Amino acid sequence: MRRILIIIGIIIIIGILAAFVPGSYGGKIIEKAKSLGYIEYSSQEAEQLAVMRCSRCHELDKVTKYCFRCGPPLIVVVHNMKAFVTLWEKKFPEQKIFQLTDAEAVAIAQVWNALIGNWEDGWNKTDLIKLLENDTALLKLLDTPVEKRKIEAALRGKSAPGTYKEVFDDIQKPQKKE
């Protein structure tokens, strides 16, 4: 009986270790669990995910040059990418582009918000809700205060290389007339 328990223990330990080896079946199971939202992404994993998933369709320079005057906040851009992938799959079924899961979309939106800029406050919340078109996961993120968004909070202060930043230093503020 004791020998059987030892063998079972060894099998369990090997299974646990295999789960954390990248590229193994266990690692793939953990990746899938994260993409489905059962396990949270770390900020580093989310950043790698954002770079990997976004660079499949376009150059990252396009992402980092995104400016708040050019379109809606990045949370809406991520939602639109999900919609675009759906349209692409219908138009070109032979080309494989994998749809973003809700957990991936939430992680990616937080990464770009932190590294490029979160401009949600500059928009009317009703308009953002309308633009998110019942995207439950991103609507939940929209309702989460920025300081409680774990990935965004962890990456705060970092900036993606080549990020567009407006410079207002040479614009003088109006002087008060006395």
Side-chain angles (χ1 to χ4, degrees):
M1 181 67 173
R2 183 179 170 138
R3 202 174 249 175
I4 291 173
L5 289 174
I6 292 172
I7 292 171
I8 291 173
I10 291 171
I11 291 171
I12 290 172
I13 290 171
I14 290 172
I16 291 170
L17 291 174
F20 294 102
V21 174
S24 69
Y25 287 118
K28 289 178 183 176
I29 290 169
I30 289 184
E31 282 179 39
K32 187 67 172 175
K34 286 179 182 180
S35 76
L36 295 175
Y38 296 118
I39 301 173
E40 290 183 359
Y41 284 103
S42 71
S43 59
Q44 184 179 3
E45 291 166 335
E47 191 173 355
Q48 290 169 347
L49 173 72
V51 168
M52 180 193 66
R53 292 301 300 267
C54 296
S55 66
R56 283 185 180 167
C57 299
H58 47 79
E59 293 180 18
L60 288 179
D61 189 47
K62 184 176 182 177
V63 177
T64 60
K65 297 291 185 239
Y66 190 76
C67 157
F68 68 92
R69 290 183 294 162
C70 299
L74 293 158
I75 192 171
V76 176
V77 173
V78 171
H79 166 74
N80 288 337
M81 288 300 107
K82 288 171 65 176
F84 178 75
V85 169
T86 301
L87 293 173
W88 186 270
E89 287 172 331
K90 288 177 184 175
K91 189 171 182 177
F92 304 104
E94 70 284 353
Q95 294 180 3
K96 292 291 177 203
I97 297 180
F98 297 101
Q99 182 59 268
L100 293 174
T101 66
D102 287 343
E104 289 172 332
V106 166
I108 290 169
Q110 289 183 76
V111 167
W112 295 132
N113 277 347
L115 300 181
I116 297 172
N118 184 332
W119 307 301
E120 294 164 18
D121 285 346
W123 280 63
N124 181 325
K125 191 165 183 177
T126 307
D127 292 340
L128 289 175
I129 291 168
K130 192 174 188 180
L131 288 169
L132 289 173
E133 303 174 317
N134 297 318
D135 188 327
T136 310
L138 291 174
L139 284 168
K140 185 177 176 185
L141 178 64
L142 181 65
D143 282 338
T144 305
V146 176
E147 58 276 359
K148 292 190 178 183
R149 298 177 182 183
K150 292 179 181 179
I151 294 168
E152 205 165 329
L155 294 173
R156 191 167 295 123
K158 279 185 83 177
S159 183
T163 298
Y164 174 77
K165 299 285 185 198
E166 285 198 355
V167 180
F168 294 107
D169 294 341
D170 31 353
I171 299 174
Q172 292 191 8
K173 295 179 183 173
Q175 300 288 325
K176 282 188 179 180
K177 291 185 180 180
E178 296 185 42

